[in-house]
Amino acid sequence: MTTIAVGVLTLSCSKAQRSSGEDNNTTSSPAGGGSLAGKKVLIVYLSRTRNTQAVAQMIQREVGGRLVALELVNPYPQNYQAQVAQVVRENNENFLPPLKTKVDSLDTYDVVFVGFPTWDMKMPPPMKSFLNQYRLTGKTVVPFNTNAGYGIGSGFQTVKELCPNSTVLEGLSIRGGIERDGILFVMEGDREKQAQAEVKTWLQKLNFVK
Ligand SMILES: Cc1cc2nc3c(=O)[nH]c(=O)nc-3n(C[C@H](O)[C@H](O)[C@H](O)COP(=O)(O)O)c2cc1C
């Protein structure tokens, strides 16, 4: 299944639209009470075509907290096929690309949302870099994901493996763009509303919002 999906995804080429970059907005306090009352929330995400970023912003609107976009010292190629080839190589070599993003005062956060697209049916290498570099020991970790319709793959399992001393909650994986087919940002109109509803239902299930 993994091999088939990856094979399909590497077949065609399309334009890449890069994320608008670092984004360190903070809202005043977590909304919604529940088990997040009095907790400090960090939302760290990786996004190339802004779908995962849009979901990160939806989460922030519901629970507050600080948003941080992961950026690399050496950005990936714009060309989709070149990027897929590079990611496959990095996965094979277990290469962890160095991050340009520095997250200060990580110790002060209780709950860390970690969001990333599915790449090569796995967690993207930059998110592996983040989870390797920053210890989320003792924190509650909440994963989320967007993908082209093939699902999360091994991504949430990798979160658990890289955060052995954290409480990892149930993740949310939702359909985003299909860059292979030239479908980049989709989080607008009806799709945005649907995604917002999925985010809200998931946060309610986690008892983060009412
Ligand atoms: C290098 C690369 C590999 C990808 N591999 C997969 C995959 O294996 N399965 C899948 O469902 N989607 C895959 N996708 C599609 C993305 O997961 C999907 O478009 C996602 O919504 C992109 O999120 P973003 O807009 O935040 O970058 C891949 C995209 C890229 C750029």
Side-chain angles (χ1 to χ4, degrees), residues 32-132:
S35 59
L36 278 186
K39 304 253 173 80
K40 256 189 102 178
V41 175
L42 178 68
I43 305 165
V44 178
Y45 67 92
L46 175 76
S47 188
R48 173 173 159 96
T49 48
R50 296 188 294 115
N51 294 290
T52 312
Q53 174 178 264
V55 176
Q57 290 165 340
M58 290 172 199
I59 294 169
Q60 189 197 36
R61 279 197 291 275
E62 294 287 345
V63 304
R66 174 181 166 210
L67 272 181
V68 174
L70 290 187
E71 286 190 282
L72 292 177
V73 172
N74 303 307
Y76 283 108
Q78 295 265 347
N79 177 276
Y80 174 73
Q81 280 187 325
Q83 156 138 19
V84 170
Q86 185 171 328
V87 167
V88 169
R89 239 183 358 258
E90 290 179 351
N91 283 334
N92 288 340
E93 293 163 9
N94 211 9
F95 175 72
L96 300 178
L99 299 175
K100 187 165 109 187
T101 307
K102 310 275 176 237
V103 185
D104 59 348
S105 21
L106 194 83
D107 282 356
T108 63
Y109 292 93
D110 309 292
V111 179
V112 183
F113 286 82
V114 292
F116 51 88
T118 301
W119 284 1
D120 188 22
M121 294 314 289
K122 298 179 178 67
M123 174 186 286
M127 186 53 81
K128 289 194 222 160
S129 298
F130 172 76
L131 293 176
N132 267 285

